[in-house]
Structures are given as structure tokens and as C-alpha cells.
Amino acid sequence: MTFADALWAQLQHGRTLWVVGFWAVVTALASAAPEARGRLRLPSFLLALYLLTTVVVAALIADGRDPHTLGVFNLAFELLALVGLGQVLVFSVALPRLGVRLPRILVDVVTGVAVVIALIFVGKRAGFSVAGLITTSAVITAVLGFALQDTLGNLMGGLALQLDSSVKVGDWIALGLGDREGQVVDIRWRYTAVETRAWETVLIPNSTLMKSQVVVIGRRQGAPLRVRRQVDFQVDFRTPPTEVLATVREALTTDRPALVEAQPPLQVLFIAIKDSVAAYCVRYWLSDLANDDPADSDVRTRVFFALQRAGIALSIPAQAVFVSHDDDARKARKEHDALVARQAALAAVDVFAPLDEAERANLADRLRRAPFAAGEAVTREGEHDDGLYIIVEGTAEVRIGEGDAARTIATLGPGQFFGEMALLTGEVRSATVLATTDLQCYRIDKHGFEAMMRARPALADAVADVLADRRIALASAREEAGDGAPAKAEVKRDLLDRIRAFFALR
Ligand code: CMP
């Protein structure tokens, strides 16, 4: 047989003309789609190999030799070229024209299955059954299983991601630690490709995506894509926060920067005072996730100019260092100043007016500072406790009863004292005294007071006088006083007796 006869027979037998015709049709159709054109390269190369091997097979036949082995390769090239051309025709030309865009992973899987079928077919021609080999040989199955473990994990992961849409093409996801983020551009059979703002493409194996926690940025069910951004700025802490907040809010809402979303509305917040600066932030919403830094920059620029227009200075780092030389003289001076302040507090209280200088100094020595915040209870009705308090600054309310039945029966201010009833009689607190403003008090305990009562027993009389008035007011507030209520003199005498007994003054 001549070479020409052999070649002609081969071309007819191998459906070569049909295959070349198919290639020509697909190439013509794909010429309109640049993406499809790129995909044609491999099938075209396989087709070229197929044609080449066809010629060589014909030459071998003409030479009278057996072309069996090369024939197997020839078939393999032919089938693989057909699979490639089919893939381009269906997935890159026909379906896109119908408006259907399948996920890449599905295309990869279908192509992969077609290639395996083609290879089984080629194996059969070569004289052995690939399928039978895999199903009957446990060793090969195990080796294949191990080798494909990761690949199958990735493949399954990729299919799962596509099926449950947990991560979709177009989603922005956080990449590991730090603030690296990127947009998912492709989910393939092995990896998911993510493009970052820094023009990098990060390939994450699908199995890793499945196993680890993934943060999908800006996505919330039933809500449009957006993310909350925060732009910090610091202002001199002497500027009233209300002024700063109003200035910045007005500047950003009357003329909103282009990238800032209208809804939800932006917030301007006073977030901290530290190191002599007042820290503020603007929180706004952004839907153009690729432009986060430019949007922040716009907002920052607006804040800068708005503050300048309002004459509000941005903070400069400032620190005050206090250095004091703590010697004995200074210590003595400080103690003396504190004592003078305590004596002044005592002098302002009527009942302590009869005390002479030395006695007042002695009592002042026993006073302790006791500040309370507005709203704090200094004494609680019914509790055991024995301090007497002298108010220096602020006001307090005397209340009885609890919950809805609570009533204010008196208001006390600077120069007045309270807590004397429990201290002088040893009874539980008769009322709750509540600081209505921040309260500066001095406190004296039973021992301190006792020492002074012993030094000047006449004090008991003055205190008992105040106490009697308060007792009567308390009783009438509690509606305990009936027609036969004792007169003040009687109450006072009774109290005086109890005070003397309590302090063993007799
Ligand atoms: P004491 O009972 O130790 O604790 C509650 C205090 O409220 C009480 O002492 C008094 O000092 C004070 N107090 C009670 N009733 C009156 C009142 N009518 N007027 C002013 N202060 C009072």
C-alpha cells in the first residue's frame, strides 16, 4: 500500500475530516468572544498533535509496520481535542449567547468527567480496562484515594460553596489576620481566587475555606451591601464636645461626600478623653468596598476644613509634668491646711459653736473626708452604722419609706449635719439620706464624738435640742404622732437621758 492510500484510508477511518470541520466551526463561532478564543488554544494544539500522529500512522502502515501504540495516542489526541472543542462550544459560545453563565467549577467538573470517559475509551483501545482496573485493584484504588484526597476535598469544598452560596463570586471577604480584604472573582475546582485592593490575587484552597471561619464583608441577609467605616480625629479637650459634634455633623450631612451612603445616617461620636486630647470619630456607611481609603480620605478632609472654619483646633500632643518636692515642711503645711478646712467646717455648724478653739481643733482632728456622688445613699434607713456627717458642699435629702411609699421629709445643705441619731442613741438609721448633688462631707465616728462629749458634756444638750426637733418631724411624717404626742421638752429630756446613758456621761 502506498503512503497516499494509507493516509486517505486513515483520514476516512479516523473521522479526521469531520473533526477538522468541527474545529473550523467552533473557531468561527468563538472568534466573536475573546474569552472563548483563549480557551481554543489547547484543543487546537491537541488537534495538531492528532493530525501529526495520523500522518505518522499512515507512514507506518505504508511501511508495513504495526502502528498500534501510536494509534492509541492518535485516538487520545482526537478525543481530547473533541472534548476541548465541545467545552468551548457549549460553555463559552452557546450558553453565554443564551444568557446562561455556569460557575467555572461546574464547567471544570463536566470537562473533567468527559476527559475521564475519553481516557477510559482510549484505555479500552489500548487493551486494558481503566474502569475495571480501578474497581478491581484495591491497591490502585487506595493509592488514587490518597493522592486525590486533597484534590477531592477542594473539589467538594468548591461545589459546596457554590451550592449553599455561602461565598459567592463578587463577595468581599477578609483574608486571615489584619485588615487584608479582597473580592472573590472565581471559584474553581481547586481554589477560590480573591483579588485584593493592592492588585494581588490570593488563591485559597476550597477545603481551607470550608474548614475555617470566613468573614464576608458588608453582607447581611435582606440588606444591601454596605460596610461601616470609622474615621477618627482628635480635638483640643478644652473645646466643648457639643460644638465639635454639631460642627462636624452639619458639614458632613449638608454636603455629603460622594462615597458616603445616605442610609443609615452617619454618626459623629465623642469616644474618649486621653492624654489631654478629646477623641472623636465619624462612623459612616460605604457600599463601594473597593474605595474604602479614598472615602475615608474624603470624610477626613471635610472634617479638617469644617473644624478650621469653626475655629476649632485639632489637638497637638500635650503633657503637663508635675514635680513636687515632698519634704517635711510641705507635709506639715498640707496637714495644717487640711485641719484649718476641717475647723472651718465645724465652725459653720451651730451646735458646735460653743466649742472653744482647742476643743474644735481636737474634734477637727478626728474628722475624715467623705465625698459622695449625686444619687449615692450616705445612710440607709434601718441599717446599723454610727457615723455623723457634716455637709460642707452640696445638698442631700432625708427620705423615709421605700419604693412608692418613699417620701422626702427634709433637705439638708452646707453647715448642717445628719446621722446623729444612730451615733448618739445606738439605734438603727432612722432615715435614708441621699446625695442630690455631688456631696462633700466630713465624717466623725462614735469614738471621736464620745471623746468630745466627755470633754464638754453641755454639747449633749445642744445636740439633743436639734435631735428632738427632728424626732418630732420624723414622727409626724410617719404619722405616728397622735393627740397625746409628747411635747418637745419631754422628747428632748428623754433623748438627753439616752445620750448620757449611751456615752456613760453620768
Ligand atoms: P440617723 O438616724 O443616724 O440617720 C438618718 C438621719 O437623717 C438621722 O440620723 C438624722 O440625722 C436625719 N434626719 C432624720 N429625720 C430628720 C428630719 N426630720 N430633719 C432633718 N434630718 C433628719
Side-chain angles (χ1 to χ4, degrees):
M1 190 188 275
T2 65
F3 171 68
D5 289 342
L7 184 60
W8 181 240
Q10 196 59 31
L11 289 180
Q12 279 181 326
H13 173 70
R15 303 165 300 273
T16 312
L17 296 178
W18 286 107
V19 176
V20 173
F22 184 45
W23 172 83
V25 171
V26 174
T27 308
L29 289 172
S31 61
E35 187 200 349
R37 253 183 287 144
R39 300 233 164 97
L40 262 182
R41 245 173 259 138
L42 184 61
S44 304
F45 178 65
L46 288 167
L47 184 73
L49 286 176
Y50 163 61
L51 293 176
L52 187 71
T53 46
T54 304
V55 174
V56 180
V57 165
L60 287 175
I61 292 172
D63 205 27
R65 280 193 270 164
D66 179 11
H68 179 73
T69 312
L70 198 63
V72 171
F73 281 102
N74 178 256
L75 179 66
F77 293 139
E78 179 188 3
L79 292 182
L80 291 178
L82 282 173
V83 168
L85 290 172
Q87 186 221 37
V88 173
L89 181 67
V90 176
F91 296 117
S92 304
V93 177
L95 288 180
R97 282 207 188 162
L98 294 173
V100 181
R101 270 217 169 266
L102 290 183
R104 268 311 293 269
I105 189 164
L106 199 65
V107 178
D108 289 345
V109 169
V110 171
T111 313
V113 169
V115 167
V116 169
I117 293 173
L119 289 180
I120 290 174
F121 201 72
V122 173
K124 252 191 185 151
R125 167 73 71 86
F128 61 86
S129 159
V130 179
L133 200 67
I134 292 172
T135 46
T136 51
S137 163
V139 176
I140 290 187
T141 312
V143 169
L144 269 182
F146 269 121
L148 292 178
Q149 205 175 26
D150 279 353
T151 311
L152 286 177
N154 285 326
L155 179 65
M156 290 321 205
L159 285 173
L161 287 176
Q162 286 287 350
L163 284 179
D164 68 3
S165 294
S166 44
V167 174
K168 297 190 295 258
V169 171
D171 276 348
W172 282 82
I173 60 172
L175 302 168
L177 296 174
D179 60 355
R180 268 163 64 92
E181 298 167 354
Q183 189 173 31
V184 175
V185 288
D186 207 356
I187 300 179
R188 303 292 298 267
W189 60 276
R190 200 175 62 76
Y191 60 78
T192 294
V194 179
E195 287 178 357
T196 70
R197 296 186 186 94
W199 222 255
E200 305 147 326
T201 302
V202 182
L203 307 179
I204 309 170
N206 292 333
S207 56
T208 311
L209 268 188
M210 291 296 291
K211 272 185 243 157
S212 50
Q213 165 188 312
V214 180
V215 179
V216 180
I217 301 159
R219 196 170 90 190
R220 190 176 263 204
Q221 272 182 352
L225 175 89
R226 61 199 43 188
V227 65
R228 194 182 76 174
R229 302 286 305 169
Q230 175 163 333
V231 173
D232 294 320
F233 62 97
Q234 296 181 337
V235 168
D236 187 315
F237 71 107
R238 284 162 295 196
T239 317
T242 40
E243 202 181 316
V244 179
L245 295 174
T247 304
V248 174
R249 197 175 296 127
E250 156 132 27
L252 288 173
T253 45
T254 45
D255 182 19
R256 190 162 37 85
L259 291 165
V260 172
E261 289 295 324
Q263 290 298 332
L266 60 81
Q267 294 177 318
V268 187
L269 303 170
F270 183 21
I271 47 173
I273 301 183
K274 53 175 193 283
D275 301 338
S276 84
V277 300
Y280 296 84
C281 74
V282 177
R283 289 206 181 128
Y284 72 93
W285 296 86
L286 176 76
S287 57
D288 182 359
L289 265 55
N291 278 315
D292 56 349
D293 287 342
D296 283 358
S297 169
D298 281 356
V299 171
R300 218 170 270 126
T301 309
R302 295 285 176 91
V303 171
F304 180 89
F305 281 106
L307 291 176
Q308 288 225 324
R309 280 196 300 275
I312 299 173
L314 285 168
S315 71
I316 43 169
Q319 254 183 1
V321 180
F322 299 94
V323 181
S324 60
H325 191 55
D326 211 6
D327 58 7
D328 287 346
R330 184 171 180 277
K331 221 162 146 188
R333 200 175 60 243
K334 275 180 76 177
E335 276 170 13
H336 177 259
D337 290 350
L339 192 67
V340 168
R342 292 201 292 265
Q343 283 180 359
L346 284 177
V349 182
D350 286 350
V351 287
F352 299 127
L355 298 181
D356 65 27
E357 194 107 342
E359 285 168 337
R360 197 172 301 140
N362 193 351
L363 182 59
D365 213 24
R366 295 166 185 274
L367 296 184
R368 295 285 163 264
R369 270 197 69 214
F372 292 89
E376 255 189 299
V378 186
T379 69
R380 283 182 197 282
E381 188 176 350
E383 275 186 10
H384 282 283
D385 170 35
D386 68 0
L388 178 145
Y389 295 86
I390 297 168
I391 302 179
V392 181
E393 213 180 296
T395 54
E397 280 180 2
V398 181
R399 290 189 187 179
I400 55 168
E402 271 183 56
D404 291 343
R407 272 170 303 147
T408 301
I409 57 165
T411 301
L412 305 174
Q416 290 180 293
F417 61 89
F418 60 89
E420 76 293 340
M421 292 187 185
L423 183 116
L424 296 173
T425 61
E427 292 169 359
V428 293
R429 294 289 190 198
S430 60
T432 295
V433 178
L434 203 71
T436 40
T437 64
D438 289 353
L439 200 62
Q440 293 293 341
C441 295
Y442 284 114
R443 182 183 198 274
I444 181 164
D445 62 11
K446 184 172 167 249
H447 296 298
F449 206 75
E450 191 175 358
M452 207 203 34
M453 289 281 244
R454 285 184 195 289
R456 191 179 269 265
L459 202 62
D461 191 75
V463 178
D465 194 62
V466 177
L467 224 160
D469 281 339
R470 288 184 176 179
R471 264 288 156 89
I472 289 165
L474 200 58
S476 90
R478 287 203 176 116
E479 291 164 9
E480 283 170 359
D483 289 342
K488 180 180 171 186
E490 205 181 316
V491 174
K492 185 177 166 185
R493 204 174 325 114
D494 174 52
L495 282 167
L496 211 49
D497 283 348
R498 285 171 63 183
I499 293 168
R500 286 190 179 128
F502 188 61
F503 287 107
L505 292 181
R506 260 198 281 258

